[in-house]
Amino acid sequence: MFDLERWQEIFDTIRKNKLRTFLTGLSVASGIFILVILLGFGQGMRNGIEHEFKEDASTSIWVWPGVTSKEYKGLNPGRRIQLVNENYNNADAMFKSDIEYGSSRIFVRGITVNYGKEALIYGVQGVAADFQFIENASMLEGRFINYQDEISAGKVAIIGNKIKKDVFHEVDTPIGEFIDISGIPFKVIGVFKEMEEREEERIYIPITTAQKAFNGGNRVNNMSFTLPPVDNFDQAVAQAINFKNGLKEYLQQVHTIDPEDSSALEVWSAMEEAKRYYGLTNNIKLFFWFVGICTIIAGVVGVSNIMMIVVKERTREIGIRKALGAKPWSIIGMILHEAIFVTAISGFGGLIFSMALLELVGPNIEVDYVLNPSVNFNVAFSTVLVLIVAGTLAGFVPAYRAAKVKVIESLRDE
C-alpha cells in the first residue's frame, strides 16, 4: 500500500537538506545525461561511417598505380606504374570465381565538353558496364552503359543528376540530347544519382570509346571489383583480404615491383577499412561507457554521503522510533526509501532530458563521420534501473548503521 506518512517524511527530509539533495541529484542526473549523450554520439559516429561506406559497394576493392620507391631486380626507383587493359583482363580471368562485378576506368583529360553553345566543366570518365554497381549509382532516367556499348565503342554518355539540373533544365528530359566532347557528338542515354551530389558531376562514356577516341591506347587509370556477399562480416573481411593479397601479388609480379614497396601500388579494400573504423568506434564506445559510469559512480557516492548526513541529523529521531518499538528493518526501509527516491527522480530526469535532446538535435547534426546520433532506449532505461539498484546499495550502509544505533546513545544526541 501507499504509505502517505512515509513519503511525507521523505519530502520533509529533502526540504531540510534541499541544497545537498539538489547537488546530489544533479550529480546523478548529469551522470545519466553524459552517458546517454556519449553513447548517442558513439552511435552517430557508427552511422556516419556506415553512410560513408554505402557510397560505394561495401565489398569493393580498388587499385591505383603509383611510383616505385625502391630499387628492384635492377630497376631504379621512381618508375611510374601504368595499368593496362591486359592487367584488368588477366585479373578478371584469374579471380573470376571470386568477383561479382569488375570495371577498369580511365579519366579523359585535355578535352572540351559543350552542350549547344554552353561550355561544360564536368569530368569525363570511361568505364565498363559493371561500374554502376561498384559505385552504387542508381538510374533516375534511361539506362547505364551496357556490354554492347563497350563492344561497339558507342558514342553514348550517362550524366549525373546534378548535371541534369544545372544544364538541361530547359528540356523535359536530357535523354536523347547530344553533348559535344572535343568535336565528337555523344548521345545522352541515362541520368544517374549518387549519395553525394559531388559524385554527380561526372559524365560516363564506354571505356573502349574513351580509349579509341581520345588517344587512351590500352591504358587505364585504375581498376575496381566487388566481391560476392557472404554470411557474416568476419567472412567478408577475410574474403576481401585474400582477394586483395592475390591481386596485389599478381600486379607486383607483372610490373616488377618490390613486395615491400608500399608507394608503387595501392590496393584498397572497403571491408578492411570498415573493420578498422568499426574497431575504432567500439573502442570509443567503451571509453564513453567508462566516462559515463565513472560519473554515475560519483553520483552514487554522493547519495551514500547524503544518506549518512541524514542519519546523523536524525539520530535522535531514530532513537525515539526504536524506543517506541520500531524494528531495525523499518529503520533501514526509511533510509532506503529516501535513497531510492533521490536516485530514481534524478536518474529518470537525466534520461528524459538527454533522450529529448538527442531526438531534437540529432537528426539536424551534419558533421563528417557523424550522422543522426541516437541511443537504444532499452539500453538507457536499463542503465537507469541499474543506477537505482546501485543507489539502493549505496544507501544500505548508512541505513544499516542507523538500525544499529543504540537507543540510549541516540537520545543523548544533540
Side-chain angles (χ1 to χ4, degrees):
M1 293 179 62
F2 182 77
D3 191 338
L4 183 61
E5 292 184 2
R6 174 62 56 82
W7 286 106
Q8 184 62 49
E9 290 175 5
I10 293 174
F11 286 124
D12 289 342
T13 304
I14 290 174
R15 188 169 59 251
K16 292 175 184 176
N17 300 277
K18 55 185 178 181
L19 179 60
R20 286 194 295 264
T21 304
F22 172 76
L23 293 177
T24 301
L26 184 63
S27 177
V28 174
S30 65
I32 287 293
F33 176 83
I34 291 172
L35 177 59
V36 172
I37 293 299
L38 289 178
L39 291 180
F41 183 77
Q43 184 60 45
M45 291 183 63
R46 196 173 186 89
N47 294 340
I49 291 170
E50 288 178 355
H51 177 77
E52 292 291 328
F53 279 104
K54 283 179 181 177
E55 290 184 12
D56 298 327
S58 59
T59 61
S60 60
I61 308 284
W62 296 78
V63 181
W64 288 279
V67 178
T68 59
S69 61
K70 295 184 178 183
E71 180 183 358
Y72 188 63
K73 293 186 176 180
L75 298 175
N76 292 328
R79 290 182 295 121
R80 181 168 294 280
I81 303 301
Q82 177 63 63
L83 300 177
V84 294
N85 289 340
E86 184 181 5
N87 298 152
Y88 172 77
N89 294 334
N90 288 343
D92 185 58
M94 289 172 61
F95 304 102
K96 194 170 188 64
S97 60
D98 300 323
I99 296 172
E100 182 181 31
Y101 299 110
S103 173
S104 51
R105 176 165 61 164
I106 184 171
F107 301 102
V108 184
R109 298 185 173 92
I111 58 171
T112 59
V113 183
N114 296 279
Y115 173 62
K117 295 182 180 180
E118 183 178 358
L120 310 183
I121 56 173
Y122 305 107
V124 178
Q125 301 179 14
V127 298
D130 285 351
F131 195 73
Q132 174 190 356
F133 308 107
I134 299 171
E135 273 286 292
N136 264 347
S138 58
M139 299 305 300
L140 295 181
E141 297 181 48
R143 64 173 178 84
F144 201 76
I145 295 165
N146 60 29
Y147 295 109
Q148 184 59 40
D149 297 327
E150 290 185 58
I151 294 171
S152 63
K155 306 298 190 297
V156 294
I158 292 85
I159 63 172
N161 189 46
K162 187 176 188 302
I163 299 177
K164 173 193 170 181
K165 292 186 291 186
D166 292 347
V167 179
F168 296 91
H169 49 81
E170 294 184 357
V171 296
D172 293 334
T173 175
I175 305 300
E177 296 290 314
F178 284 86
I179 57 175
D180 183 286
I181 304 179
S182 291
I184 303 174
F186 280 76
K187 183 179 181 180
V188 177
I189 62 169
V191 179
F192 70 89
K193 180 175 179 58
E194 290 266 13
M195 297 186 71
E196 294 288 338
E197 194 175 67
R198 59 184 174 81
E199 304 266 328
E200 297 175 354
E201 297 181 340
R202 298 174 180 174
I203 300 172
Y204 292 133
I205 63 176
I207 187 168
T208 50
T209 307
Q211 290 176 329
K212 291 178 181 179
F214 304 108
N215 300 317
N218 68 339
R219 300 184 300 276
V220 297
N221 293 113
N222 63 42
M223 304 188 303
S224 54
F225 305 90
T226 63
L227 309 182
V230 291
D231 293 336
N232 58 59
F233 182 76
D234 290 335
Q235 280 185 310
V237 172
Q239 174 186 246
I241 292 174
N242 290 336
F243 178 82
K244 172 184 171 179
N245 291 340
L247 179 61
K248 191 171 186 178
E249 183 179 352
Y250 158 69
L251 293 174
Q252 286 173 337
Q253 291 176 354
V254 169
H255 292 279
T256 319
I257 299 172
D258 188 332
E260 302 300 322
D261 192 343
S262 59
S263 66
L265 201 67
E266 181 179 357
V267 184
W268 183 86
S269 165
M271 293 306 301
E272 282 190 273
E273 287 298 304
K275 182 180 180 181
R276 186 175 297 114
Y277 278 113
Y278 289 157
L280 175 62
T281 57
N282 288 337
N283 290 335
I284 291 174
K285 186 176 288 188
L286 286 175
F287 175 73
F288 286 167
W289 270 107
F290 175 76
V291 173
I293 289 173
C294 286
T295 309
I296 290 174
I297 290 174
V300 170
V301 171
V303 171
S304 179
N305 289 338
I306 197 172
M307 288 302 104
M308 292 180 70
I309 294 171
V310 167
V311 168
K312 185 175 181 180
E313 291 180 347
R314 300 178 66 181
T315 300
R316 188 177 183 83
E317 176 193 339
I318 292 170
I320 294 172
R321 286 176 177 271
K322 295 186 73 173
L324 295 175
K327 300 295 182 182
W329 279 109
S330 68
I331 302 298
I332 292 175
M334 178 183 69
I335 304 301
L336 288 184
H337 274 154
E338 297 178 19
I340 293 170
F341 181 82
V342 172
T343 308
I345 293 298
S346 304
F348 282 113
L351 173 66
I352 292 170
F353 185 57
S354 58
M355 294 292 288
L357 185 63
L358 286 176
E359 190 69 24
L360 292 173
V361 178
N364 300 317
I365 292 178
E366 296 182 1
V367 182
D368 289 342
Y369 293 103
V370 178
L371 178 66
N372 191 22
S374 59
V375 67
N376 187 305
F377 179 78
N378 292 333
V379 173
F381 186 77
S382 299
T383 304
V384 175
L385 294 182
V386 172
L387 171 65
I388 294 173
V389 172
T392 304
L393 294 176
F396 181 78
V397 174
Y400 183 76
R401 288 182 179 177
K404 289 291 186 180
V405 170
K406 296 185 181 299
V407 175
I408 299 300
E409 293 178 359
S410 62
L411 293 176
R412 291 175 180 170
D413 186 74
E414 298 297 331

